[in-house]
Amino acid sequence: MQKNKLNLDFGLVAEARQSAARIAADIQPFIDQHSSVTVERTVARLLGIDGIDELERPLPNIMIEAIKKEGGLPLGAAYWIGRAMLATGKTPQEIAEGVAAGEIELAKLPEKSVEDIQAAVNKVAVKTVERIRANRAHREDFIKNVGEGPKPYLYVIVATGNIYEDVLQAQAAARQGADVIAVIRTTAQSLLDYVPYGPTTEGFGGTYATQENFRIMRRALDEVGNEVGRYIRLCNYCSGLCMPEIAAMGALERLDVMLNDALYGILFRDINMQRTLVDQYFSRIINGFAGIIINTGEDNYLTTADAVEEAHTVLASQFINEQFALRAGLPEEQMGLGHAFEMNPNLKDGFLLELSQAQMARDIFPKAPLKYMPPTKFMNGNIFKGHVQDALFNMVSIMTNQGIQLPGMLTEAIHTPLLQDRALSIENARYIFNNMRSISDEIEFKEGGMIQSRAQAVLADAAAMLKDIEQEGIMSTIEKGKFAGVKRPMNGGKGLDGVVVKDALYFNPFIELMLGKEGE
């Protein structure tokens, strides 16, 4: 029996996990039978297609739209690119440029055997996989030789809209003590069905996620990491309509953390559930192989629902995200399952309930680098009280051994945090983490007390909810609004027209290469 501080019934934990596993297994045949325009654009990118045409249209989009227009998408991008390689002797990039210029019509090229096509494509795919494997080895060597900060890793946001200004702020944050730099994306990029190209300087509320921006920030963080003597992780977002594409860009440019949730886009961005469930699978295969930690978005539930009444929905979603990740070959050590310190500060014994929730997540997911989010919902502009709320949040984090923590900002309810606000927040967290470094080893909870009883009740409710979902199916559950009170129709939302049923001859070389090797 697994040891835990909350006297949880691990038979019930096993039942909940089994329910979540069956929920994921039930939808997997649907995922396996379908692809999407962004999955195929990802294959094109991983085969070396990049850049834009004279109208600034991304070549992967041009390529997949050309295939889709001819009704060829069910066969997959790899089939058409490989067939064109054999027919023309050109590289995938040259083929895409020819398609963009109107010089190559894929459907009119001579047919080739699937075996020959697969062999040609695999030669290119293996080189990409080796590049990603080398990036992972580089990260591991950097950490081994230079070092890294202790957990909880301090996760700090930069969001200027200008990648070059982001670099300055990111390096300053690393010098102040940050371990992870999250470059927030420009508002609504998750709803774009393409990935912008090149360095960008005009984002709103964040900076565009582009491969060149990833490259610029990676170089800057390696530079400051050598200076401060620890590896600085880079985070961006692969949620939205381009989940696997941005995951691939992150793998190619050695990102370390990516926001990736199986349900978030459906619930909070109204992206079609069929599209999201198909896209999340390939995106997580890529993240898993690249050694990237995913962050899930359960903290968002508590911005729309009550953190006391709906705590079990957070746990249920964590179980489901875990199982979808495992099916994609992503190990527990890379699952930054999300949760948040979001109870009303006027609640009697709220700190005890928050402590119970955080410890429960740690006991149930012992290997996961849990991502703990700060109080935001009840920050009211009183910076002194806000700083105390953040201090209590920091205390729970170190008491329950969280893995990644976004420090709260005392000016949360007033304006976008200034550099000095962030410095104070990091100082607050580092002070508490240092002074309470070993407190978790000293703590035991009263048997039958409030903290244990609360966690046991939340677990029971989550297990019951998962049994209901198991009976009903994940799509029907979402349609009925059982997560965060948000209802989404199966055939509604954005991106459904980009989903396609695979042909019997369909193949995606990267799924086999990445799942077969499991990143080793």
Side-chain angles (χ1 to χ4, degrees), residues 135 139 143 179-180 218 221-222 231-236 250 253-258 290-294 334:
N135 281 344
R139 177 195 301 119
I143 292 170
D179 302 298
V180 182
R218 176 74 275 159
L221 295 187
D222 284 349
Y231 186 72
I232 308 299
R233 286 172 167 82
L234 173 56
C235 173
N236 213 291
E253 301 304 332
R254 193 170 31 92
L255 269 67
D256 310 284
V257 183
M258 300 203 88
I292 291 170
I293 294 170
I294 66 166
Q334 289 171 231

Side-chain angles (χ1 to χ4, degrees), residues 236-407:
N236 213 291
Y237 295 62
C238 63
S239 55
L241 285 167
C242 295
M243 287 182 81
E245 266 186 286
I246 297 179
M249 289 160 39
L252 292 169
E253 301 304 332
R254 193 170 31 92
L255 269 67
D256 310 284
V257 183
M258 300 203 88
L259 278 288
N260 183 318
D261 189 295
L263 305 179
Y264 172 86
I266 304 167
L267 299 174
F268 301 104
R269 292 294 179 265
D270 194 22
I271 296 172
N272 175 262
M273 67 174 77
Q274 298 179 54
R275 172 74 174 265
T276 299
L277 290 168
V278 169
D279 288 351
Q280 63 83 29
Y281 178 62
F282 190 32
S283 72
R284 288 180 171 198
I285 289 174
I286 296 166
N287 286 157
F289 183 78
I292 291 170
I293 294 170
I294 66 166
N295 286 159
T296 58
E298 282 83 5
D299 57 283
N300 289 279
Y301 291 21
L302 305 183
T303 62
T304 57
D306 182 79
V308 177
E309 298 297 325
E310 300 299 324
H312 65 287
T313 67
V314 170
L315 179 57
S317 179
Q318 289 171 330
F319 275 120
I320 291 170
N321 260 311
E322 176 190 49
Q323 293 304 315
F324 275 123
L326 288 172
R327 297 194 75 86
L330 201 144
E332 295 171 67
E333 290 81 1
Q334 289 171 231
M335 296 182 199
L337 301 172
H339 59 137
F341 186 98
E342 282 287 21
M343 293 179 191
N344 190 326
N346 296 324
L347 180 70
K348 182 179 179 181
D349 291 321
F351 179 84
L352 278 68
L353 299 180
E354 294 280 17
L355 182 58
S356 173
Q357 186 80 9
Q359 185 65 52
M360 179 186 66
R362 174 45 67 215
D363 284 355
I364 293 174
F365 305 101
K367 296 180 182 178
L370 300 172
K371 184 190 175 191
Y372 201 27
M373 298 291 281
T376 58
K377 189 174 181 179
F378 296 102
M379 299 290 267
N380 63 9
N382 179 340
I383 61 171
F384 304 104
K385 182 179 180 181
H387 212 41
V388 173
Q389 288 175 256
D390 290 337
L392 294 176
F393 161 65
N394 292 333
M395 288 172 63
V396 171
S397 187
I398 195 67
M399 290 166 76
T400 59
N401 293 313
Q402 299 299 308
I404 301 171
Q405 179 184 307
L406 174 61

Side-chain angles (χ1 to χ4, degrees), residues 129-160:
V129 167
E130 290 304 318
R131 174 179 167 183
I132 295 171
R133 194 195 311 279
N135 281 344
R136 182 170 184 161
H138 185 97
R139 177 195 301 119
E140 291 166 355
D141 288 344
F142 198 122
I143 292 170
K144 180 180 178 181
N145 296 323
V146 178
E148 64 175 339
K151 290 183 179 178
Y153 299 138
L154 284 175
Y155 171 108
V156 170
I157 287 169
V158 295
T160 70

Side-chain angles (χ1 to χ4, degrees), residues 438-459:
S438 302
I439 194 168
S440 176
D441 297 333
E442 301 293 322
I443 290 178
E444 295 180 356
F445 296 110
K446 178 182 176 182
E447 187 165 351
M450 181 188 301
I451 292 173
Q452 283 198 1
S453 298
R454 166 66 179 177
Q456 292 160 8
V458 171
L459 171 60

